[in-house]
Amino acid sequence: MAAMKPRTGDGPMEVVKEGRSYVMRVPLEGGGRLVVEITADEVQQLGDALHAALPQA
């Protein structure tokens, strides 16, 4: 019998390309992960929004 490992939310934030979309996995503070599937256009929009939110140096 194979060893059973618990599924945890621990791990780094990651984005992987799967087919025509991207899957973003973000660890949450209380445990678990937020998993979002987004298109290439949405990736660009998210990047733009994050850059706009950063303080200008």
Side-chain angles (χ1 to χ4, degrees):
M1 185 162 104
M4 297 292 288
K5 294 183 181 178
R7 299 183 93 184
T8 65
D10 296 339
M13 182 183 319
E14 63 181 356
V15 178
V16 294
K17 185 163 177 36
E18 293 185 3
R20 293 184 173 197
S21 62
Y22 294 83
V23 176
M24 178 175 61
R25 294 176 179 89
V26 181
L28 300 175
E29 190 172 314
R33 299 181 103 180
L34 171 67
V35 180
V36 181
E37 185 173 348
I38 53 181
T39 66
D41 290 337
E42 292 168 329
V43 169
Q44 184 64 50
Q45 292 171 3
L46 176 60
D48 293 343
L50 291 171
H51 283 288
L54 290 173
Q56 300 298 318

